[in-house]
Every structure is written in C-alpha cells, then in structure tokens.
Amino acid sequence: MPASHPALHLFVTDFATTDLCDDNAMLLEDGRLAVLPPVFRHFGKRERFAGRVVTLKVFEDNALVRAVLETPGEGQVLVVDGGASLRRALVGGQLALLAQDNGWAGIVVDGCVRDTVEIDSCDIGIRALAAHPRRSAKKGAGERNVRVQIAGVPVVPGDWLYADADGILVAQQRLA
C-alpha cells in the first residue's frame, strides 16, 4: 500500500492472536474475548489484520456487501454473516479491490468467495469458509450493523477483530 494511503496509520498489524489469548485469559474466561472455530480459509495478500467491526447479515445476496465496501473503511473489518452458505460467493475480486482501495483492513465472510486469484493480488485480508464460482444475487436483501453469529460466535458492531495465521479473535474491546 502506498505511504500516502490515508488509512495506512489505522491498520493494526503488530499482534499475534496466540499472545492476545495468553495475555487476556480473563477475557476469554468471561466471554469478552472469543476465538472463532478454525474453519476459515485465508485469501488476499494481508495475512494479519485487525480493526473495529462493521457487520452485515445477508444470505446469498451481496448488494449490501458492495454498498458497505464503497464507503471509507478507515481500517475497519467487515464481518459478513452469510448464513454459512456454500452455494454462492459473497465476495469476489472486484469487491476485494474496492475494499483495498477504500481502506478496509479486512473482511470475514461466513460464506464463500470467488475470483481467488484476483483476491490474492489485493492488499486486503479476507477469511471465508471456501471458494465457489457462482455469483450471488443482487437484490439488496439483508441487514447492516446488527448482532450476528459467525460460526457460533456472537459479533456486535463496534467489537474488535484480530486475524492472523493462527486464528480469528473477536473482542468486546480493543486489546493492547
């Protein structure tokens, strides 16, 4: 990413999820910090990303995903509850490029992506259940900024998400 990118300073990259778990055992115990199950695959150039959460709840329709990614990301992470559908992709190469260009730190999709070669050329971190070639519907159905469940873990707008090679964490507060 060019040094002139306005959101560059907002990207949190100096962490390890293993250390965050070790250093925040009490938060894990009382539920203020949760670990997503290890069912997500990594896509995009950015293996490690973190940021404040914006949520979407959609099912096999990505019109709202595009609408959100068209806005300034300011280092945030878009968490998409796609109902764990393995029948259509919710994010493809165009949306990954849009997310990169608009300063999103990453995207977590409880569903599928497509155009993985294009996604892997973008400076964005994406986690999804799988790749699928079929595109989504474009009707605009869904909800934004609502509490969602991602692989059984509740995620609320404003939570903090941390992702690296070892896993994905969701915290109710920013972790040191």
Side-chain angles (χ1 to χ4, degrees), residues 104-116:
W104 289 85
I107 305 170
V108 174
V109 182
D110 192 16
C112 295
V113 298
R114 66 188 228 155
D115 305 321
T116 59

Side-chain angles (χ1 to χ4, degrees), residues 56-60 80-85 90 109-111 149-150:
L56 281 179
K57 184 172 184 150
V58 300
F59 189 72
E60 298 181 359
V80 181
D81 178 351
S85 173
L90 292 172
V109 182
D110 192 16
Q149 290 268 344
I150 303 298

Side-chain angles (χ1 to χ4, degrees), residues 68-102:
V68 170
L69 293 176
E70 286 174 342
T71 66
E74 300 174 338
Q76 298 177 103
V77 175
L78 179 60
V79 175
V80 181
D81 178 351
S85 173
L86 299 177
R87 303 187 312 182
R88 292 178 179 230
L90 292 172
V91 173
Q94 291 178 359
L95 293 187
L97 185 60
L98 192 61
Q100 169 197 281
D101 291 349
N102 285 330

Side-chain angles (χ1 to χ4, degrees), residues 9-173:
H9 67 283
L10 298 174
F11 293 131
V12 178
T13 57
D14 56 343
F15 67 90
T17 56
T18 52
D19 292 339
L20 291 174
C21 284
D22 293 351
D23 295 344
N24 294 283
M26 290 300 296
L27 296 179
L28 282 166
E29 290 300 318
D30 69 19
R32 289 180 289 159
L33 175 61
V35 180
L36 293 185
V39 296
F40 293 90
R41 289 179 49 196
H42 167 258
F43 301 93
K45 282 185 180 177
R46 196 176 295 162
E47 186 166 36
R48 177 183 295 146
F49 62 92
R52 202 159 198 131
V53 169
V54 173
T55 64
L56 281 179
K57 184 172 184 150
V58 300
F59 189 72
E60 298 181 359
D61 184 324
N62 77 348
L64 282 180
V65 177
R66 173 177 288 280
V68 170
L69 293 176
E70 286 174 342
T71 66
E74 300 174 338
Q76 298 177 103
V77 175
L78 179 60
V79 175
V80 181
D81 178 351
S85 173
L86 299 177
R87 303 187 312 182
R88 292 178 179 230
L90 292 172
V91 173
Q94 291 178 359
L95 293 187
L97 185 60
L98 192 61
Q100 169 197 281
D101 291 349
N102 285 330
W104 289 85
I107 305 170
V108 174
V109 182
D110 192 16
C112 295
V113 298
R114 66 188 228 155
D115 305 321
T116 59
V117 171
E118 290 175 39
I119 290 173
D120 287 344
S121 72
C122 293
D123 185 22
I124 187 82
I126 297 180
R127 299 294 188 277
L129 297 177
H132 196 289
R134 186 175 180 195
R135 72 178 173 193
S136 71
K138 314 254 185 253
K139 297 176 183 172
E143 300 173 273
R144 60 172 94 184
N145 287 323
V146 295
R147 181 182 188 273
V148 297
Q149 290 268 344
I150 303 298
V153 175
V155 182
V156 178
D159 280 352
W160 282 81
L161 186 137
Y162 299 84
D164 68 8
D166 289 318
I168 304 170
L169 308 179
V170 176
Q172 292 179 6
Q173 64 198 57

